[in-house]
């Protein structure tokens, strides 16, 4: 007996592929606005996976990942249902902005409410029509504006099933990250939906390697939960993921012009000079940026103008840094070949 699936009043029948338009509050120009939702339901029953992008409206890699994913997954080969949403925060996307027009961060407004703020209403719609109807979810992000992230999975590894999915995704770095108040991950946990966050690249840009790795990762997870048939033997060797139990931002010790001496994916050692901040009025006066611990750069600021206290490098801490670096180098060459 195949379970009935209704999204926004539309019945999704087995062996169908459709695009739904979820009605949103219109723009103040009275222009109607909808959230496009791609639903591919296989012939056979199976898990339901949602893939969401642009919860932060200026994070575009996920939009392209969803586009490629939809072209790749066919009804014939699919067990279960894939629900893919290329732009959850359509309002932010229209304005090239991370936020909603009410200046709220959607990822701090979950689970939302029917009579709440604009962000709260959008969160409520997404939770009730998509997330709560799914078994698993993958939420796609990039770094914030003027920052760049190494492809990485963020997940709460205290949950066994989430750990399994995080490993199946197949990027070299997993950051064990606690649930944040008001985040999609936290609201999904309450609904017993297991969610991974994939981070790669920067806001307002496409990163080809981050897009490729994201698409491959989603397909890996879909194979792992038997939504797609396994690949033929030896056709793809997944990298072994390494888990960082913690990470922290290194901040600018002074204000000035920042020059980096390292880059994403590189190992840093305690007391190593990893950048300089120069005084714009006195080029002989430069302050060293010194690593406070051993680790790997998983995120960095791309903007050379810094105030004291601005974040410069996001550093993750691993038990075996050397092995992670090797794995990242191998992964890098896989992505570029
Ligand atoms: Zn984001």
């Amino acid at each position: 007996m195949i379970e009935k699936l209704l999204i926004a009043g539309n019945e999704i029948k087995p062996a169908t592929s459709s695009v739904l338009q979820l009605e949103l509050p219109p723009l103040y120009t009275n222009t109607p606005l909808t959230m496009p939702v791609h639903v591919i339901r296989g012939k056979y029953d199976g898990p339901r996976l949602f893939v969401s992008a642009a919860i932060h409206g200026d994070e575009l890699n996920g939009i392209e990942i969803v586009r490629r994913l939809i072209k790749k997954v066919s009804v014939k080969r699919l067990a279960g249902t894939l629900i893919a949403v290329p732009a959850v925060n359509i309002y932010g996307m229209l304005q090239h902005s991370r936020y909603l027009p009410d200046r709220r961060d959607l990822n701090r407004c979950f689970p939302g409410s029917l009579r709440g703020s604009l962000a709260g209403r959008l969160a409520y719609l997404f939770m009730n029509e998509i997330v709560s109807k799914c078994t698993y979810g993958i939420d796609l992000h990039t770094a914030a504006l003027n920052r760049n992230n190494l492809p990485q999975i963020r997940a709460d590894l205290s949950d066994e099933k989430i750990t399994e999915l995080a490993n199946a995704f197949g990027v070299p770095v997993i950051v064990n990250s606690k649930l944040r108040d008001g985040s999609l991950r936290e609201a999904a946990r309450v609904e017993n939906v297991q969610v991974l966050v994939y981070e790669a690249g920067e806001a307002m840009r496409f990163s080809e390697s981050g897009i490729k790795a994201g698409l491959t990762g989603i397909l890996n997870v879909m194979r792992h939960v038997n939504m797609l048939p396994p690949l033929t033997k030896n056709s793809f060797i997944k990298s072994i993921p390494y888990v960082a139990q913690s990470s922290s931002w290194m901040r600018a010790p002074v204000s000035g012009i920042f020059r980096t001496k390292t880059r994403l994916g590189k190992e840093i050692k305690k007391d190593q000079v990893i950048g300089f901040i120069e005084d714009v009025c006195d080029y002989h006066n430069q302050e060293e940026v010194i690593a406070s611990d051993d680790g790997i750069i998983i995120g960095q600021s791309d903007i050379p103008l810094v105030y004291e206290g601005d974040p410069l490098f996001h550093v993750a801490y691993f038990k075996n840094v050397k092995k992670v670096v090797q794995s990242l180098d191998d992964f890098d060459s896989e992505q570029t070949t």
Side-chain angles (χ1 to χ4, degrees), residues 2 19 21 35-36 39 75 104 123 157 172-173 195 199 207 217 232 273 284 286 288 298 307 309 311 337:
I2 293 224
V19 186
Q21 299 287 346
M35 182 198 297
V39 188
V75 167
R104 285 182 168 88
L157 302 183
V173 167
V195 175
E199 289 267 358
S207 147
T232 49
V273 177
H284 300 292
Q286 67 173 19
E288 292 176 334
I298 60 162
Y307 280 116
T337 49

Side-chain angles (χ1 to χ4, degrees), residues 55-56 59 98 107 140-144 199:
I55 276 197
H56 294 132
E59 299 181 2
R98 175 183 181 87
N107 214 17
L140 306 172
H141 287 257
T142 73
E199 289 267 358

Side-chain angles (χ1 to χ4, degrees), residues 37-103:
V37 176
H38 297 263
V39 188
I40 306 178
R41 184 165 189 183
K43 194 173 166 188
Y44 306 102
D45 230 356
R48 291 178 188 161
L49 169 73
F50 78 82
V51 177
S52 53
I55 276 197
H56 294 132
D58 60 353
E59 299 181 2
L60 311 181
N61 274 343
I63 298 173
E64 177 62 8
I65 293 173
V66 167
R67 193 183 71 83
R68 294 187 195 182
L69 178 66
I70 293 302
K71 289 175 92 173
K72 198 108 186 158
V73 174
S74 81
V75 167
K76 281 186 207 152
R77 295 171 66 232
L78 182 68
T81 308
L82 171 69
I83 306 177
V85 187
V88 180
N89 178 3
I90 294 263
Y91 301 92
M93 183 188 154
L94 288 171
Q95 294 182 317
H96 298 188
S97 166
R98 175 183 181 87
Y99 303 103
L100 271 297
D102 63 6
R103 292 187 283 183

Side-chain angles (χ1 to χ4, degrees), residues 94-305:
L94 288 171
Q95 294 182 317
H96 298 188
S97 166
R98 175 183 181 87
Y99 303 103
L100 271 297
D102 63 6
R103 292 187 283 183
R104 285 182 168 88
D105 182 332
L106 183 58
N107 214 17
R108 303 288 175 271
C109 294
F110 283 97
S113 81
L114 190 57
R115 308 245 169 267
S117 65
L118 177 64
R121 288 172 193 221
L122 182 55
Y124 182 85
L125 176 79
F126 189 63
M127 272 310 293
N128 284 276
E129 294 298 344
I130 312 286
V131 179
S132 64
K133 293 175 180 172
C134 289
T135 330
Y136 310 115
I138 302 175
D139 188 26
L140 306 172
H141 287 257
T142 73
L145 201 61
N146 297 320
R147 294 186 199 163
N148 201 351
N149 275 344
L150 188 76
Q152 60 196 266
I153 284 291
R154 292 190 189 165
D156 175 9
L157 302 183
S158 64
D159 182 305
E160 254 177 58
K161 187 70 197 179
I162 292 181
T163 307
E164 214 187 90
L165 300 178
N167 285 322
F169 197 94
V171 287
V173 167
I174 300 172
V175 182
N176 187 14
S177 86
K178 299 261 170 301
L179 301 173
R180 290 184 87 142
D181 285 353
S183 67
L184 170 62
R185 278 201 299 145
E186 186 198 53
R189 168 63 72 85
V190 174
E191 298 283 335
N192 207 18
V193 182
Q194 273 103 15
V195 175
L196 297 179
V197 166
Y198 172 66
E199 289 267 358
E202 47 189 326
M204 295 307 296
R205 298 283 184 274
F206 276 169
S207 147
E208 185 56 30
S209 59
I211 290 166
K212 270 192 192 166
L215 177 63
T216 305
I218 295 167
L219 295 171
N220 285 341
V221 169
M222 291 177 75
R223 286 183 199 108
H224 182 79
V225 298
N226 300 318
M227 291 178 77
L228 292 176
L231 283 175
T232 49
K233 237 186 183 171
N234 300 332
S235 58
F236 178 66
I237 301 156
K238 260 193 304 183
S239 57
I240 312 157
Y242 291 90
V243 175
Q245 291 299 345
S246 64
S247 68
S248 63
W249 276 94
M250 281 188 58
R251 294 180 179 277
V254 293
S255 303
I257 308 294
F258 167 59
R259 284 184 295 122
T260 179
K261 291 278 286 174
T262 183
R263 61 187 165 88
L264 285 180
K266 288 288 159 200
E267 177 186 4
I268 57 168
K269 294 227 167 271
K270 188 176 181 344
D271 298 328
Q272 182 187 335
V273 177
I274 54 175
F276 298 98
I277 297 176
E278 282 185 351
D279 187 325
V280 75
C281 304
D282 176 4
Y283 292 126
H284 300 292
N285 187 11
Q286 67 173 19
E287 181 97 5
E288 292 176 334
V289 178
I290 296 169
S292 51
D293 226 325
D294 297 358
I296 288 175
I297 309 285
I298 60 162
Q300 69 174 48
S301 170
D302 282 338
I303 189 160
L305 310 173

